[in-house]
Amino acid sequence: MSADAKIFIANDVVIHPDDLEENFIRSSGPGGQNVNKVATAVQLRFDAANAPGLPERVRERIIKLAGQKATKDGVIVIEAGRYRTQEQNRADARARLTALVAKAAEPPPPPRKKTKPTKGSVERRLKTKSGRSTVKKLRGRVDGD
């Protein structure tokens, strides 16, 4: 995945390279003494609220799915510092963004079909309730006639 290529998620969902902004920051992950000198972690910013390649339905869902990764302005911030090189962290951040957009682009699940309990199950439930009722009534105080 090159840095200047469009990322195709679905038929109508595309991430343009102009919508992505990458900043390299110092990583807290592996790297030994090198970690204090080299900025290998990447902070990927994707302006989902103004991205032309996203339909409105996907735009709303991606901001909702991003949770705390999304700002109030609709910018999604993904930080990747898992690896020791900038290239691997860049690929990791883009893969995580692609997975998030793909999840948002999925069609919503079909609505749940309501079902009624069977006649036998209703009768069994009422029978056990009446059985418990009689057991509890028998726990009362005994009259000493």
mmCIF file with all atom_site columns, all heavy atoms in Angstrom, residues 69-85:
data_model
loop_
_atom_site.group_PDB
_atom_site.id
_atom_site.type_symbol
_atom_site.label_atom_id
_atom_site.label_alt_id
_atom_site.label_comp_id
_atom_site.label_asym_id
_atom_site.label_entity_id
_atom_site.label_seq_id
_atom_site.pdbx_PDB_ins_code
_atom_site.Cartn_x
_atom_site.Cartn_y
_atom_site.Cartn_z
_atom_site.occupancy
_atom_site.B_iso_or_equiv
_atom_site.pdbx_formal_charge
_atom_site.auth_seq_id
_atom_site.auth_comp_id
_atom_site.auth_asym_id
_atom_site.auth_atom_id
_atom_site.pdbx_PDB_model_num
ATOM 1   N N   . LYS A 1 69 ? -11.265 7.973  19.690 1.00 0.00 ? 69 LYS A N   1
ATOM 2   C CA  . LYS A 1 69 ? -10.283 8.304  18.657 1.00 0.00 ? 69 LYS A CA  1
ATOM 3   C C   . LYS A 1 69 ? -10.768 9.462  17.791 1.00 0.00 ? 69 LYS A C   1
ATOM 4   O O   . LYS A 1 69 ? -9.984  10.034 17.048 1.00 0.00 ? 69 LYS A O   1
ATOM 5   C CB  . LYS A 1 69 ? -10.024 7.085  17.773 1.00 0.00 ? 69 LYS A CB  1
ATOM 6   C CG  . LYS A 1 69 ? -9.335  5.958  18.475 1.00 0.00 ? 69 LYS A CG  1
ATOM 7   C CD  . LYS A 1 69 ? -9.162  4.785  17.547 1.00 0.00 ? 69 LYS A CD  1
ATOM 8   C CE  . LYS A 1 69 ? -8.768  3.550  18.326 1.00 0.00 ? 69 LYS A CE  1
ATOM 9   N NZ  . LYS A 1 69 ? -9.180  2.340  17.643 1.00 0.00 ? 69 LYS A NZ  1
ATOM 10  N N   . ALA A 1 70 ? -12.058 9.771  17.843 1.00 0.00 ? 70 ALA A N   1
ATOM 11  C CA  . ALA A 1 70 ? -12.610 10.860 17.035 1.00 0.00 ? 70 ALA A CA  1
ATOM 12  C C   . ALA A 1 70 ? -12.701 12.138 17.872 1.00 0.00 ? 70 ALA A C   1
ATOM 13  O O   . ALA A 1 70 ? -13.058 12.102 19.045 1.00 0.00 ? 70 ALA A O   1
ATOM 14  C CB  . ALA A 1 70 ? -13.996 10.490 16.522 1.00 0.00 ? 70 ALA A CB  1
ATOM 15  N N   . THR A 1 71 ? -12.366 13.268 17.245 1.00 0.00 ? 71 THR A N   1
ATOM 16  C CA  . THR A 1 71 ? -12.485 14.555 17.920 1.00 0.00 ? 71 THR A CA  1
ATOM 17  C C   . THR A 1 71 ? -13.897 15.102 17.698 1.00 0.00 ? 71 THR A C   1
ATOM 18  O O   . THR A 1 71 ? -14.686 14.528 16.953 1.00 0.00 ? 71 THR A O   1
ATOM 19  C CB  . THR A 1 71 ? -11.453 15.556 17.366 1.00 0.00 ? 71 THR A CB  1
ATOM 20  O OG1 . THR A 1 71 ? -11.735 15.789 15.987 1.00 0.00 ? 71 THR A OG1 1
ATOM 21  C CG2 . THR A 1 71 ? -10.043 15.032 17.533 1.00 0.00 ? 71 THR A CG2 1
ATOM 22  N N   . LYS A 1 72 ? -14.200 16.220 18.325 1.00 0.00 ? 72 LYS A N   1
ATOM 23  C CA  . LYS A 1 72 ? -15.516 16.842 18.161 1.00 0.00 ? 72 LYS A CA  1
ATOM 24  C C   . LYS A 1 72 ? -15.745 17.313 16.734 1.00 0.00 ? 72 LYS A C   1
ATOM 25  O O   . LYS A 1 72 ? -16.878 17.404 16.283 1.00 0.00 ? 72 LYS A O   1
ATOM 26  C CB  . LYS A 1 72 ? -15.665 18.027 19.114 1.00 0.00 ? 72 LYS A CB  1
ATOM 27  C CG  . LYS A 1 72 ? -15.723 17.628 20.563 1.00 0.00 ? 72 LYS A CG  1
ATOM 28  C CD  . LYS A 1 72 ? -15.815 18.830 21.462 1.00 0.00 ? 72 LYS A CD  1
ATOM 29  C CE  . LYS A 1 72 ? -15.789 18.416 22.913 1.00 0.00 ? 72 LYS A CE  1
ATOM 30  N NZ  . LYS A 1 72 ? -15.758 19.561 23.822 1.00 0.00 ? 72 LYS A NZ  1
ATOM 31  N N   . ASP A 1 73 ? -14.647 17.620 16.021 1.00 0.00 ? 73 ASP A N   1
ATOM 32  C CA  . ASP A 1 73 ? -14.751 18.095 14.637 1.00 0.00 ? 73 ASP A CA  1
ATOM 33  C C   . ASP A 1 73 ? -14.893 16.964 13.637 1.00 0.00 ? 73 ASP A C   1
ATOM 34  O O   . ASP A 1 73 ? -14.978 17.218 12.437 1.00 0.00 ? 73 ASP A O   1
ATOM 35  C CB  . ASP A 1 73 ? -13.511 18.918 14.275 1.00 0.00 ? 73 ASP A CB  1
ATOM 36  C CG  . ASP A 1 73 ? -13.338 20.102 15.203 1.00 0.00 ? 73 ASP A CG  1
ATOM 37  O OD1 . ASP A 1 73 ? -14.362 20.630 15.675 1.00 0.00 ? 73 ASP A OD1 1
ATOM 38  O OD2 . ASP A 1 73 ? -12.183 20.501 15.449 1.00 0.00 ? 73 ASP A OD2 1
ATOM 39  N N   . GLY A 1 74 ? -14.880 15.714 14.086 1.00 0.00 ? 74 GLY A N   1
ATOM 40  C CA  . GLY A 1 74 ? -15.013 14.578 13.184 1.00 0.00 ? 74 GLY A CA  1
ATOM 41  C C   . GLY A 1 74 ? -13.700 14.112 12.592 1.00 0.00 ? 74 GLY A C   1
ATOM 42  O O   . GLY A 1 74 ? -13.688 13.451 11.560 1.00 0.00 ? 74 GLY A O   1
ATOM 43  N N   . VAL A 1 75 ? -12.585 14.433 13.240 1.00 0.00 ? 75 VAL A N   1
ATOM 44  C CA  . VAL A 1 75 ? -11.265 13.983 12.790 1.00 0.00 ? 75 VAL A CA  1
ATOM 45  C C   . VAL A 1 75 ? -10.892 12.754 13.613 1.00 0.00 ? 75 VAL A C   1
ATOM 46  O O   . VAL A 1 75 ? -10.917 12.786 14.843 1.00 0.00 ? 75 VAL A O   1
ATOM 47  C CB  . VAL A 1 75 ? -10.205 15.093 12.963 1.00 0.00 ? 75 VAL A CB  1
ATOM 48  C CG1 . VAL A 1 75 ? -8.830  14.585 12.570 1.00 0.00 ? 75 VAL A CG1 1
ATOM 49  C CG2 . VAL A 1 75 ? -10.578 16.311 12.158 1.00 0.00 ? 75 VAL A CG2 1
ATOM 50  N N   . ILE A 1 76 ? -10.548 11.673 12.916 1.00 0.00 ? 76 ILE A N   1
ATOM 51  C CA  . ILE A 1 76 ? -10.159 10.440 13.591 1.00 0.00 ? 76 ILE A CA  1
ATOM 52  C C   . ILE A 1 76 ? -8.637  10.412 13.705 1.00 0.00 ? 76 ILE A C   1
ATOM 53  O O   . ILE A 1 76 ? -7.931  10.583 12.709 1.00 0.00 ? 76 ILE A O   1
ATOM 54  C CB  . ILE A 1 76 ? -10.680 9.216  12.820 1.00 0.00 ? 76 ILE A CB  1
ATOM 55  C CG1 . ILE A 1 76 ? -12.204 9.248  12.818 1.00 0.00 ? 76 ILE A CG1 1
ATOM 56  C CG2 . ILE A 1 76 ? -10.168 7.935  13.443 1.00 0.00 ? 76 ILE A CG2 1
ATOM 57  C CD1 . ILE A 1 76 ? -12.831 8.210  11.948 1.00 0.00 ? 76 ILE A CD1 1
ATOM 58  N N   . VAL A 1 77 ? -8.138  10.197 14.930 1.00 0.00 ? 77 VAL A N   1
ATOM 59  C CA  . VAL A 1 77 ? -6.699  10.181 15.197 1.00 0.00 ? 77 VAL A CA  1
ATOM 60  C C   . VAL A 1 77 ? -6.299  8.773  15.610 1.00 0.00 ? 77 VAL A C   1
ATOM 61  O O   . VAL A 1 77 ? -6.809  8.238  16.602 1.00 0.00 ? 77 VAL A O   1
ATOM 62  C CB  . VAL A 1 77 ? -6.334  11.192 16.314 1.00 0.00 ? 77 VAL A CB  1
ATOM 63  C CG1 . VAL A 1 77 ? -4.844  11.169 16.580 1.00 0.00 ? 77 VAL A CG1 1
ATOM 64  C CG2 . VAL A 1 77 ? -6.807  12.582 15.959 1.00 0.00 ? 77 VAL A CG2 1
ATOM 65  N N   . ILE A 1 78 ? -5.396  8.179  14.832 1.00 0.00 ? 78 ILE A N   1
ATOM 66  C CA  . ILE A 1 78 ? -4.898  6.836  15.131 1.00 0.00 ? 78 ILE A CA  1
ATOM 67  C C   . ILE A 1 78 ? -3.394  6.942  15.342 1.00 0.00 ? 78 ILE A C   1
ATOM 68  O O   . ILE A 1 78 ? -2.674  7.436  14.479 1.00 0.00 ? 78 ILE A O   1
ATOM 69  C CB  . ILE A 1 78 ? -5.209  5.857  13.981 1.00 0.00 ? 78 ILE A CB  1
ATOM 70  C CG1 . ILE A 1 78 ? -6.729  5.698  13.845 1.00 0.00 ? 78 ILE A CG1 1
ATOM 71  C CG2 . ILE A 1 78 ? -4.550  4.515  14.228 1.00 0.00 ? 78 ILE A CG2 1
ATOM 72  C CD1 . ILE A 1 78 ? -7.155  4.829  12.699 1.00 0.00 ? 78 ILE A CD1 1
ATOM 73  N N   . GLU A 1 79 ? -2.940  6.462  16.502 1.00 0.00 ? 79 GLU A N   1
ATOM 74  C CA  . GLU A 1 79 ? -1.509  6.462  16.800 1.00 0.00 ? 79 GLU A CA  1
ATOM 75  C C   . GLU A 1 79 ? -0.998  5.035  16.727 1.00 0.00 ? 79 GLU A C   1
ATOM 76  O O   . GLU A 1 79 ? -1.559  4.136  17.352 1.00 0.00 ? 79 GLU A O   1
ATOM 77  C CB  . GLU A 1 79 ? -1.238  7.052  18.180 1.00 0.00 ? 79 GLU A CB  1
ATOM 78  C CG  . GLU A 1 79 ? -1.481  8.541  18.245 1.00 0.00 ? 79 GLU A CG  1
ATOM 79  C CD  . GLU A 1 79 ? -1.042  9.159  19.550 1.00 0.00 ? 79 GLU A CD  1
ATOM 80  O OE1 . GLU A 1 79 ? -0.383  8.466  20.355 1.00 0.00 ? 79 GLU A OE1 1
ATOM 81  O OE2 . GLU A 1 79 ? -1.359  10.337 19.757 1.00 0.00 ? 79 GLU A OE2 1
ATOM 82  N N   . ALA A 1 80 ? 0.072   4.846  15.968 1.00 0.00 ? 80 ALA A N   1
ATOM 83  C CA  . ALA A 1 80 ? 0.672   3.524  15.818 1.00 0.00 ? 80 ALA A CA  1
ATOM 84  C C   . ALA A 1 80 ? 2.153   3.616  16.148 1.00 0.00 ? 80 ALA A C   1
ATOM 85  O O   . ALA A 1 80 ? 2.893   4.328  15.482 1.00 0.00 ? 80 ALA A O   1
ATOM 86  C CB  . ALA A 1 80 ? 0.479   3.014  14.393 1.00 0.00 ? 80 ALA A CB  1
ATOM 87  N N   . GLY A 1 81 ? 2.575   2.903  17.180 1.00 0.00 ? 81 GLY A N   1
ATOM 88  C CA  . GLY A 1 81 ? 3.979   2.894  17.581 1.00 0.00 ? 81 GLY A CA  1
ATOM 89  C C   . GLY A 1 81 ? 4.416   1.504  17.958 1.00 0.00 ? 81 GLY A C   1
ATOM 90  O O   . GLY A 1 81 ? 5.333   1.326  18.749 1.00 0.00 ? 81 GLY A O   1
ATOM 91  N N   . ARG A 1 82 ? 3.762   0.507  17.396 1.00 0.00 ? 82 ARG A N   1
ATOM 92  C CA  . ARG A 1 82 ? 4.005   -0.884 17.738 1.00 0.00 ? 82 ARG A CA  1
ATOM 93  C C   . ARG A 1 82 ? 5.353   -1.386 17.224 1.00 0.00 ? 82 ARG A C   1
ATOM 94  O O   . ARG A 1 82 ? 5.957   -2.262 17.818 1.00 0.00 ? 82 ARG A O   1
ATOM 95  C CB  . ARG A 1 82 ? 2.891   -1.709 17.100 1.00 0.00 ? 82 ARG A CB  1
ATOM 96  C CG  . ARG A 1 82 ? 2.456   -2.903 17.873 1.00 0.00 ? 82 ARG A CG  1
ATOM 97  C CD  . ARG A 1 82 ? 1.402   -3.671 17.127 1.00 0.00 ? 82 ARG A CD  1
ATOM 98  N NE  . ARG A 1 82 ? 0.125   -2.953 17.117 1.00 0.00 ? 82 ARG A NE  1
ATOM 99  C CZ  . ARG A 1 82 ? -0.992  -3.445 16.629 1.00 0.00 ? 82 ARG A CZ  1
ATOM 100 N NH1 . ARG A 1 82 ? -1.006  -4.627 16.098 1.00 0.00 ? 82 ARG A NH1 1
ATOM 101 N NH2 . ARG A 1 82 ? -2.099  -2.751 16.667 1.00 0.00 ? 82 ARG A NH2 1
ATOM 102 N N   . TYR A 1 83 ? 5.782   -0.852 16.087 1.00 0.00 ? 83 TYR A N   1
ATOM 103 C CA  . TYR A 1 83 ? 6.985   -1.362 15.425 1.00 0.00 ? 83 TYR A CA  1
ATOM 104 C C   . TYR A 1 83 ? 8.147   -0.377 15.551 1.00 0.00 ? 83 TYR A C   1
ATOM 105 O O   . TYR A 1 83 ? 7.967   0.753  15.975 1.00 0.00 ? 83 TYR A O   1
ATOM 106 C CB  . TYR A 1 83 ? 6.681   -1.639 13.943 1.00 0.00 ? 83 TYR A CB  1
ATOM 107 C CG  . TYR A 1 83 ? 5.572   -2.641 13.766 1.00 0.00 ? 83 TYR A CG  1
ATOM 108 C CD1 . TYR A 1 83 ? 4.294   -2.222 13.420 1.00 0.00 ? 83 TYR A CD1 1
ATOM 109 C CD2 . TYR A 1 83 ? 5.790   -4.001 13.971 1.00 0.00 ? 83 TYR A CD2 1
ATOM 110 C CE1 . TYR A 1 83 ? 3.267   -3.139 13.267 1.00 0.00 ? 83 TYR A CE1 1
ATOM 111 C CE2 . TYR A 1 83 ? 4.767   -4.913 13.825 1.00 0.00 ? 83 TYR A CE2 1
ATOM 112 C CZ  . TYR A 1 83 ? 3.509   -4.483 13.469 1.00 0.00 ? 83 TYR A CZ  1
ATOM 113 O OH  . TYR A 1 83 ? 2.496   -5.382 13.326 1.00 0.00 ? 83 TYR A OH  1
ATOM 114 N N   . ARG A 1 84 ? 9.333   -0.819 15.100 1.00 0.00 ? 84 ARG A N   1
ATOM 115 C CA  . ARG A 1 84 ? 10.541  -0.005 15.249 1.00 0.00 ? 84 ARG A CA  1
ATOM 116 C C   . ARG A 1 84 ? 10.814  0.909  14.069 1.00 0.00 ? 84 ARG A C   1
ATOM 117 O O   . ARG A 1 84 ? 11.682  1.756  14.143 1.00 0.00 ? 84 ARG A O   1
ATOM 118 C CB  . ARG A 1 84 ? 11.744  -0.924 15.460 1.00 0.00 ? 84 ARG A CB  1
ATOM 119 C CG  . ARG A 1 84 ? 11.696  -1.625 16.790 1.00 0.00 ? 84 ARG A CG  1
ATOM 120 C CD  . ARG A 1 84 ? 12.855  -2.545 16.966 1.00 0.00 ? 84 ARG A CD  1
ATOM 121 N NE  . ARG A 1 84 ? 14.116  -1.818 17.052 1.00 0.00 ? 84 ARG A NE  1
ATOM 122 C CZ  . ARG A 1 84 ? 15.155  -2.218 17.735 1.00 0.00 ? 84 ARG A CZ  1
ATOM 123 N NH1 . ARG A 1 84 ? 15.101  -3.349 18.397 1.00 0.00 ? 84 ARG A NH1 1
ATOM 124 N NH2 . ARG A 1 84 ? 16.254  -1.519 17.755 1.00 0.00 ? 84 ARG A NH2 1
ATOM 125 N N   . THR A 1 85 ? 10.065  0.752  12.960 1.00 0.00 ? 85 THR A N   1
ATOM 126 C CA  . THR A 1 85 ? 10.319  1.576  11.780 1.00 0.00 ? 85 THR A CA  1
ATOM 127 C C   . THR A 1 85 ? 9.084   2.400  11.428 1.00 0.00 ? 85 THR A C   1
ATOM 128 O O   . THR A 1 85 ? 7.954   2.009  11.714 1.00 0.00 ? 85 THR A O   1
ATOM 129 C CB  . THR A 1 85 ? 10.698  0.710  10.564 1.00 0.00 ? 85 THR A CB  1
ATOM 130 O OG1 . THR A 1 85 ? 9.592   -0.129 10.226 1.00 0.00 ? 85 THR A OG1 1
ATOM 131 C CG2 . THR A 1 85 ? 11.931  -0.125 10.837 1.00 0.00 ? 85 THR A CG2 1
#
